[in-house]
Amino acid sequence: MRFSNSVQLPVNFVMTNFPVEQLHTICKNVGVTYIGANLPHSVVNFKCVGNRMEVEKHEECNHTDLMIKVLLTLQAEQASNASMISRSCSELKSLRAVISQLAMLKEKEETYSRGTDNACQDCNRSEMHKECAIKLKIVHGIKETLDQQSKKLKKLERTLDFVSDELTSTANTDRCQNDQAFKRIDRTMAEDKDRFEHMYKKMEKSIDLMKEKLCHFEEYVSKNIETITKKQTAQCEKLECIEENVMTELKANHELADSLIKGKKVLNDKIDTVSIKQDNMKCEMTRIKGDIECEMKKQLDLRFKSFQYIWKVEKFAHYQQTAKTCNQTTIYSQPFYSSEFGYKMRLQICPNGDGIGEGSHLSFFLQVLQGPNDEVLNWPIQFTALFSVLDQSYKKDHFFAEFHSDPCEFKECYEKPICEHNLACGFPTFICLDKLKKCYLVDDTIFFKVEFKINS
């Protein structure tokens, strides 16, 4: 801050890096008017405003009060504005310069005041002492404020030093890590380069070997091409000779084939006549054979297809009691044959019943046995049977039931036996036990009959 030399003129002083809007506000609060700034020299012009006595008073004291008010206002604005703290170093220097200028101005005022009129000096001496005391207090306050600003600046410098140290340490660690990473990258790049060079050398060697082999092959081909062409010409000549021989043989074969065709025609004619005679003989033989078979079937049907078998059972009450009390629930007849060379069979009864007829009915079954003639018989066996209980009285009122074989539903009963006997087939509820009257059961004896007919 720099004051102008002329006291009677408006106050001029220099301020750097200070916003113009803030200057207008300060001047309005202090009671001065902001005139303007000389931009090339950064000179700020102020002028006192008020009534005549106040203006003369400011001019007599060489604008000291005005400057002190401006400085105090600037100090308060600096303390309240956070943006001015960041520029406190430059402003501190400017304030110190202002204080030095104020001291010089005070000296000039003292010298000026000595030359003034003694009467005026005596009148205003007491007031000047008061004003000087106030001004000194203000200067002391400014000095204290400056000291506080310097302490804050020192703290900020220490903080800045600490932050800069932290940043430098972080930068150093980052630099070390980057250096290590770059070293690893350089190492891997060197290893890859060595590997690539090794592979490139191998490829060059293999290419050289291939070139050598290709050269040897070309030399071999150039040397042996003449012999190969000679062999090819010889083989072509051999092929021509073979073709000529084949053509002659083909001609001979064609002639032989023609002669064979002619002979074949003659033979076919003879064979046709012989085959016609054979066919006639076969037809005659088949007719005779059919007649013989028909005659034999008729004889066999008369002899073997129909037969009957009667079974006498004595001590029936004993068997019935045994079936009730013991495990022997079934009685078997003696085996018999359907003809001289026919099927082997037997009858079986359950005196106390079997299955659903147990305890209430007499069960009557027919069972196919394994026989000596099974290999020449027809299987499965198909028959129609008439099961009967004979009436022993004069009435001859026999009780009977007809049975038809069913190889589809009960195949295991009618197939060729693979063991001693097949499963039995018949009636589990043939006759009720209460119907065995005196006419069927006489003297503890009962007769069973089966009439059997083989189906063709």
Side-chain angles (χ1 to χ4, degrees):
M1 186 178 292
R2 182 171 59 85
F3 292 94
S4 62
N5 294 324
S6 178
V7 177
Q8 302 299 325
L9 294 175
V11 179
N12 299 327
F13 58 91
V14 179
M15 293 185 69
T16 58
N17 298 324
F18 204 88
V20 175
E21 293 83 2
Q22 197 169 3
L23 284 174
H24 277 291
T25 305
I26 293 168
C27 293
K28 189 174 181 180
N29 294 329
V30 173
V32 296
T33 302
Y34 172 67
I35 298 174
N38 189 1
L39 293 177
H41 303 287
S42 299
V43 176
V44 182
N45 299 318
F46 292 93
K47 179 181 169 182
C48 181
V49 293
N51 54 25
R52 184 180 182 88
M53 291 180 65
E54 289 176 352
V55 172
E56 288 178 357
K57 184 179 180 180
H58 281 294
E59 288 178 353
E60 287 176 357
C61 64
N62 294 325
H63 307 284
T64 303
D65 295 335
L66 178 64
M67 292 302 102
I68 288 169
K69 287 182 180 181
V70 170
L71 288 174
L72 289 173
T73 308
L74 287 174
Q75 182 184 3
E77 288 293 324
Q78 285 178 352
S80 62
N81 194 359
S83 63
M84 295 297 293
I85 295 173
S86 60
R87 297 189 299 272
S88 59
C89 185
S90 59
E91 294 168 1
L92 183 63
K93 291 179 180 179
S94 63
L95 288 173
R96 287 177 179 175
V98 168
I99 292 169
S100 62
Q101 289 179 4
L102 285 172
M104 292 173 65
L105 182 62
K106 188 176 181 180
E107 291 178 357
K108 288 181 180 181
E109 287 177 353
E110 289 177 356
T111 54
Y112 177 76
S113 60
R114 290 191 193 100
T116 54
D117 192 27
N118 292 325
C120 293
Q121 191 174 4
D122 292 334
C123 293
N124 296 325
R125 186 173 295 169
S126 61
E127 293 180 359
M128 289 293 291
H129 283 297
K130 292 179 182 179
E131 289 177 359
C132 287
I134 293 168
K135 291 174 183 179
L136 287 173
K137 287 181 180 180
I138 292 169
V139 169
H140 285 301
I142 292 169
K143 285 182 180 180
E144 290 177 358
T145 305
L146 291 174
D147 292 334
Q148 290 177 359
Q149 291 288 333
S150 64
K151 288 179 181 179
K152 289 181 180 179
L153 284 174
K154 287 180 182 180
K155 285 183 180 180
L156 289 172
E157 287 176 356
R158 284 198 296 273
T159 306
L160 182 63
D161 293 334
F162 178 75
V163 172
S164 62
D165 293 336
E166 289 290 329
L167 290 173
T168 52
S169 63
T170 306
N172 291 327
T173 54
D174 292 338
R175 193 182 298 110
C176 293
Q177 291 178 358
N178 292 328
D179 292 337
Q180 291 177 359
F182 283 127
K183 286 179 182 179
R184 286 197 294 272
I185 292 168
D186 294 334
R187 196 181 302 114
T188 53
M189 288 178 67
E191 291 175 356
D192 293 337
K193 184 178 179 182
D194 295 336
R195 196 181 299 109
F196 178 74
E197 288 178 354
H198 183 66
M199 291 174 65
Y200 183 72
K201 289 178 182 178
K202 282 186 177 180
M203 289 176 67
E204 285 182 346
K205 288 180 181 179
S206 61
I207 290 167
D208 294 334
L209 290 172
M210 292 294 290
K211 286 180 179 178
E212 290 179 359
K213 289 180 181 179
L214 184 62
C215 292
H216 290 310
F217 181 71
E218 289 177 352
E219 291 176 358
Y220 176 77
V221 170
S222 61
K223 288 179 182 178
N224 295 328
I225 192 166
E226 295 179 357
T227 57
I228 292 168
T229 52
K230 288 178 181 179
K231 288 180 180 180
Q232 285 181 351
T233 52
Q235 288 177 358
C236 290
E237 291 175 356
K238 287 181 181 180
L239 285 171
E240 290 176 355
C241 295
I242 290 167
E243 285 179 356
E244 290 176 357
N245 295 326
V246 168
M247 292 300 292
T248 54
E249 289 179 358
L250 284 173
K251 288 179 181 180
N253 288 329
H254 282 304
E255 292 174 357
L256 181 61
D258 293 334
S259 62
L260 287 172
I261 290 168
K262 291 177 182 179
K264 187 177 180 181
K265 286 181 179 180
V266 175
L267 289 172
N268 285 331
D269 294 335
K270 291 180 180 181
I271 289 166
D272 289 336
T273 55
V274 173
S275 62
I276 290 167
K277 290 179 181 179
Q278 286 180 351
D279 291 335
N280 293 329
M281 289 177 69
K282 283 181 180 178
C283 290
E284 187 67 22
M285 288 176 68
T286 53
R287 186 179 63 78
I288 293 168
K289 188 177 180 181
D291 294 340
I292 293 169
E293 287 179 353
C294 289
E295 188 67 24
M296 288 178 69
K297 281 183 178 180
K298 288 179 182 179
Q299 295 294 328
L300 288 170
D301 289 339
L302 292 173
R303 188 173 181 182
F304 299 114
K305 278 195 173 180
S306 180
F307 71 97
Q308 62 181 5
Y309 178 77
I310 297 173
W311 180 26
K312 180 183 179 181
V313 179
E314 297 177 340
K315 298 181 181 179
F316 183 79
H318 172 71
Y319 289 124
Q320 191 176 19
Q321 187 64 30
T322 304
K324 290 179 181 179
T325 57
C326 302
N327 293 328
Q328 189 178 356
T329 58
T330 306
I331 304 172
Y332 300 97
S333 69
Q334 293 295 322
F336 58 89
Y337 292 88
S338 61
S339 63
E340 184 179 359
F341 302 102
Y343 301 95
K344 187 178 181 181
M345 303 177 182
R346 72 180 177 186
L347 298 176
Q348 67 180 47
I349 62 169
C350 297
N352 195 42
D354 181 67
I356 60 175
E358 185 177 0
S360 60
H361 290 76
L362 182 139
S363 301
F364 195 4
F365 301 100
L366 176 68
Q367 192 174 31
V368 179
L369 304 179
Q370 194 174 29
N373 306 316
D374 291 344
E375 300 297 332
V376 296
L377 298 174
N378 293 326
W379 301 98
I381 182 173
Q382 297 184 22
F383 62 90
T384 302
L386 188 67
F387 295 133
S388 303
V389 180
L390 300 181
D391 185 2
Q392 299 183 40
S393 67
Y394 66 95
K395 294 180 180 180
K396 303 301 179 186
D397 186 13
H398 307 309
F399 181 84
F400 61 89
E402 189 175 3
F403 181 82
H404 298 276
S405 62
D406 188 3
C408 296
E409 188 174 358
F410 301 102
K411 190 176 181 181
E412 61 273 12
C413 297
Y414 311 108
E415 286 288 343
K416 179 182 175 181
I418 58 175
C419 59
E420 186 178 355
H421 55 79
N422 286 350
L423 293 176
C425 57
F427 302 98
T429 57
F430 179 65
I431 187 171
C432 184
L433 294 176
D434 296 335
K435 289 184 179 181
L436 294 178
K437 304 173 184 178
K438 294 182 180 180
C439 58
Y440 298 126
L441 185 60
V442 179
D443 296 333
D444 204 16
T445 301
I446 190 169
F447 288 88
F448 296 96
K449 179 183 177 181
V450 59
E451 294 180 9
F452 198 83
K453 183 179 179 182
I454 302 295
N455 297 329
S456 59

